[in-house]
Amino acid sequence: MTDLAQRNGKVALRAALFAAAMLALAFASVPLYRIFCQVTGFGGTPMRVVAAPDKVIAGSVGVRFDANIQPSLPWKFVPVQSTVRVQPGARTTVFYEATNYSARTTTGQATFNVTPEQAGPYFSKIECFCFTEQTLKPGESVRMPIVFFVDPKIRDDESTKHIDEITLSYTFYPTGN
């Protein structure tokens, strides 16, 4: 084999490895981005935590709850309360209700976000139905809890200290299961 053929073979192998790496990165980008958003609160994604802080500060922040369904999921999905006022640092529990209007068992997964986006890193969930898929039998209705708090540090950040209302929005999508 000539020297030129060997070099061409090495270039072809490197190009193929690069193409395979880019393909793998394309498939991994969605879960990696989701993890990044959950860890950092980027893009209005609420933080997931295990406990509320010990510190509760004076004043309050309004939290508005929004519910949406992707049209192919035959459910009704609504918040039990449309708004609450919470003290930053206080652990709060609210509920959403979902009803399956179809004649078959269906499964859905909720995606969520917080607006304004700057509030995302300060909105933390301890428990949420959105962490797992939800399966409802025909005609079944369920009450699904969310346990959350607004981090008191929201009042220390120049970009968030004047925020008076946060909107927590969910959209349920059908899953293949």
Side-chain angles (χ1 to χ4, degrees):
M1 187 180 264
T2 68
D3 189 42
L4 180 62
Q6 285 180 333
R7 286 189 305 197
N8 286 345
K10 287 180 182 178
V11 168
L13 179 62
R14 287 181 185 147
L17 288 173
F18 180 75
M22 294 306 290
L23 183 64
L25 185 60
F27 281 103
S29 64
V30 171
L32 290 174
Y33 181 73
R34 184 177 300 129
I35 290 167
F36 170 77
C37 290
Q38 288 174 346
V39 169
T40 64
F42 182 76
T45 302
M47 306 293 284
R48 186 173 179 178
V49 296
V50 294
D54 295 332
K55 178 183 170 188
V56 175
I57 63 172
S60 66
V61 176
V63 180
R64 189 174 77 78
F65 303 101
D66 181 46
N68 303 285
I69 294 281
Q70 200 270 340
S72 65
L73 187 63
W75 290 7
K76 178 182 177 187
F77 174 58
V78 296
V80 173
Q81 296 174 260
S82 59
T83 60
V84 295
R85 294 224 43 103
V86 299
Q87 287 182 278
R91 179 183 165 127
T92 305
T93 302
V94 297
F95 293 89
Y96 276 75
E97 288 182 341
T99 301
N100 179 0
Y101 283 123
S102 75
R104 61 183 171 79
T105 298
T106 55
T107 301
Q109 175 77 48
T111 60
F112 54 88
N113 70 342
V114 167
T115 52
E117 263 186 42
Q118 300 92 329
Y122 301 103
F123 193 95
S124 300
K125 293 191 220 173
I126 298 167
E127 181 183 331
C128 182
F129 58 85
C130 60
F131 296 157
T132 59
E133 291 181 346
Q134 303 298 315
T135 300
L136 299 178
K137 296 176 184 165
E140 180 180 18
S141 292
V142 295
R143 246 183 168 195
M144 301 177 292
I146 305 164
V147 180
F148 71 92
F149 66 91
V150 176
D151 193 316
K153 294 177 187 169
I154 195 168
R155 294 299 179 220
D156 299 333
D157 186 334
E158 283 298 317
S159 67
T160 59
K161 69 181 183 181
H162 299 293
I163 291 176
D164 186 56
E165 184 173 83
I166 298 170
T167 300
L168 177 61
S169 181
Y170 288 96
T171 301
F172 254 107
Y173 294 91
T175 62
N177 297 338

